[in-house]
């Protein structure tokens, strides 16, 4: 699934599971908030998948295209909402560091 948020494009893929409109909405809302803070995000690749681990089997991987090297984060949780929340939090930390590098130039 492809979505366009402002100038950022979001591509969502589901591995070993069916597409979920509610997860599409949830992750695009979270990424929209992120793109409002960091308007230089170009593209987001989101992957949802289920692992074989019965306790924490929901995986969210997000890769952001930004100026410079790409930024990547992943998390494995009990449910996809928590996985998205932790992944976005990790990405935000990396984006803040990248923004400090930009500010120093």
């Amino acid at each position: 699934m492809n979505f366009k948020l402002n100038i950022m494009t979001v591509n969502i893929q589901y591995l070993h599971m069916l597409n979920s409109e509610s997860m599409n909405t949830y992750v695009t809302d979270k990424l929209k908030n992120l793109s409002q803070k960091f308007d230089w995000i170009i593209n987001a690749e989101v992957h949802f998948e289920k692992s074989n681990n019965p306790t924490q089997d929901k995986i969210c991987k997000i890769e952001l295209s930004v100026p410079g090297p790409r930024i990547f984060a992943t998390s494995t949780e009990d449910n996809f909402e928590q996985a998205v929340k932790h992944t976005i939090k990790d990405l935000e930390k990396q984006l803040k560091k990248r923004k400090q590098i930009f500010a120093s130039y």
Side-chain angles (χ1 to χ4, degrees):
M1 304 233 108
N2 283 326
F3 297 94
K4 190 83 167 162
L5 299 176
N6 298 336
I7 59 170
M8 178 177 64
T9 303
V10 179
N11 183 22
I12 303 172
Q13 296 181 0
Y14 293 88
L15 303 170
H16 312 294
M17 57 184 286
L18 297 173
N19 289 352
S20 168
E21 287 300 319
S22 62
M23 281 312 302
N24 289 348
T25 303
Y26 184 77
V27 75
T28 53
D29 286 345
K30 294 291 185 183
L31 287 169
K32 183 177 180 181
N33 291 338
L34 200 61
S35 72
Q36 289 172 347
K37 291 180 187 176
F38 307 97
D39 61 351
W40 35 272
I41 300 172
I42 301 164
N43 185 29
E45 294 285 333
V46 181
H47 297 271
F48 290 111
E49 63 181 281
K50 291 184 179 180
S51 72
N52 295 330
N53 184 346
T55 56
Q56 290 187 325
D57 67 342
K58 310 296 191 286
I59 302 170
C60 174
K61 300 176 183 177
I62 301 177
E63 182 177 354
L64 298 178
S65 295
V66 294
R70 291 178 179 235
I71 293 176
F72 176 79
T74 185
S75 61
T76 305
E77 298 293 334
D78 298 341
N79 61 56
F80 284 115
E81 289 82 4
Q82 286 296 101
V84 169
K85 190 182 292 186
H86 288 146
T87 305
I88 294 286
K89 189 175 179 181
D90 289 345
L91 289 171
E92 190 167 2
K93 287 179 189 176
Q94 293 180 55
L95 288 166
K96 284 179 182 177
K97 287 180 184 177
R98 180 74 55 91
K99 189 174 184 177
Q100 288 175 348
I101 293 169
F102 287 157
S104 66
Y105 289 106

